[in-house]
Amino acid sequence: MRKLIIANWKMNGNISKIKHDLESYAQNPITNQDNIIFALPYVFLDNASQVQKIYGAQYKISSQDISQFDGFGAYTGEVSGTILSDLGVEYAIVGHSERRKIGETSDVLAKKLELAINNKITPIYCIGESYEDRVENNYLIKLEKELEILFELNQLVSNIIIAYEPIWAIGTGLTPSIAQIDEIMRLIKVTVKKNLPNAYVSTIYGGSVIADNTKDFLESSLVDGLLVGGASLKAEEFIKICSCGQSVMSTT
Ligand code: PGA
């Protein structure tokens, strides 16, 4: 299995950048791969999906969120899993710390996970501790708590990606050591396997990933991929990250 490389564009981009970058990624053998996923703002998902279809691109499209409400209805501003899957979206980020910060509770996140799965969208569920949790040695309790909502899911869930993104590493240039990352990857794999025995779980790392540190992370056999924020917006840098992702294979 190739390692996953997920680009999280956050609230960035415009129509011409989306078209330009995704067209060139579709024509580049390094980026035109099914282990590469672009998580884009809602408004660009249709453009991305069109480019993907026109070029027969292998890469996948993700949203950065999904509504806690299903189907269609009077939910102004919401975008449901039904609508996302109609657009060709195959993945959705759920529970990024930047969304938890603006008020997403565990109940809401549990609903979002359930609806993603019901709509055949693979969730990329994010967990991560704050700097205080880390220095006060509370990080394991915090992370276990964030994992708990997964156990309410239907036992038939087949595919889930869990991203460990320490809040203190996001956009800061700070990164945990490989030993610190491995500790959490192991925790996730063991906990999830115990509670969702039928699920195929990929554990990925995110937080200040750049081309220069990609190889170090990917060489860990417990790291199945990376969630890349800032560095995914610079095409040249992102291609270097993907190139590394093609050469280091995952053992899971
Ligand atoms: P970063 O963001 O790579 O810019 O640190 C990662 C993320 O928030 O997903």
Side-chain angles (χ1 to χ4, degrees):
M1 258 292 280
R2 287 220 181 88
K3 304 243 179 182
L4 295 166
I5 306 290
I6 307 178
N8 178 10
W9 279 34
K10 306 194 179 183
M11 194 174 70
N12 291 294
N14 54 45
I15 298 218
S16 79
K17 181 172 166 61
I18 293 280
K19 255 181 76 65
H20 173 272
D21 286 10
L22 291 197
E23 281 176 8
S24 66
Y25 291 146
Q27 295 169 81
N28 183 338
I30 296 173
T31 46
N32 186 23
Q33 301 286 344
D34 64 3
N35 60 317
I36 296 178
I37 303 169
F38 293 95
L40 305 167
Y42 281 141
V43 284
F44 302 134
L45 292 173
D46 190 36
N47 300 78
S49 182
Q50 296 301 331
V51 173
Q52 190 195 31
K53 275 193 207 114
I54 291 166
Y55 287 84
Q58 300 296 304
Y59 56 66
K60 308 288 183 192
I61 308 291
S62 173
S63 57
Q64 298 174 10
D65 190 19
I66 179 171
S67 179
Q68 62 186 297
F69 306 108
D70 201 15
F72 305 97
Y75 299 106
T76 303
E78 292 290 311
V79 181
S80 68
T82 315
I83 294 175
L84 291 172
S85 55
D86 185 48
L87 283 175
V89 172
E90 293 176 75
Y91 296 82
I93 296 179
V94 176
H96 192 285
S97 58
E98 288 156 10
R99 297 208 55 83
R100 291 181 193 259
K101 198 165 87 186
I102 54 175
E104 289 198 348
T105 61
S106 308
D107 287 350
V108 166
L109 295 178
K111 201 74 205 144
K112 290 184 174 197
L113 287 170
E114 182 194 319
L115 292 179
I117 291 160
N118 289 353
N119 282 289
K120 305 207 166 12
I121 292 172
T122 302
I124 303 164
Y125 178 58
C126 300
I127 62 168
E129 82 281 4
S130 66
Y131 181 72
E132 291 72 35
D133 290 328
R134 175 57 69 171
V135 293
E136 287 161 17
N137 219 18
N138 288 331
Y139 62 99
L140 289 176
I141 297 168
K142 170 76 188 296
L143 296 170
E144 276 164 1
K145 188 124 203 64
E146 290 187 347
L147 286 173
E148 261 170 30
I149 63 167
L150 296 173
F151 313 140
E152 293 157 30
L153 294 174
N154 184 325
Q155 293 286 310
L156 295 175
V157 47
S158 59
N159 220 355
I160 187 154
I161 300 169
I162 306 199
Y164 169 50
E165 293 210 308
I167 298 168
W168 52 271
I170 297 176
T172 59
L174 301 172
T175 55
S177 67
I178 304 299
Q180 287 173 323
I181 295 174
D182 278 353
E183 180 189 29
I184 310 307
M185 300 282 132
R186 212 171 278 120
L187 168 83
I188 299 170
K189 285 186 195 292
V190 170
T191 323
V192 177
K193 237 351 321 123
K194 208 168 12 171
N195 291 278
L196 293 173
N198 298 316
Y200 181 84
V201 187
S202 303
T203 52
I204 67 172
Y205 168 75
S208 294
V209 172
I210 52 172
D212 280 348
N213 59 23
T214 297
K215 193 163 180 284
D216 297 339
F217 297 131
L218 291 185
E219 274 181 353
S220 161
S221 62
L222 299 171
V223 174
D224 300 321
L226 298 170
L227 183 51
V228 189
S232 72
L233 292 165
K234 302 174 220 142
E236 221 177 289
E237 177 93 359
F238 187 63
I239 291 167
K240 283 193 200 151
I241 293 172
C242 292
S243 166
C244 199
Q246 307 311 352
S247 51
V248 190
M249 304 292 274
S250 172
T251 50
T252 52

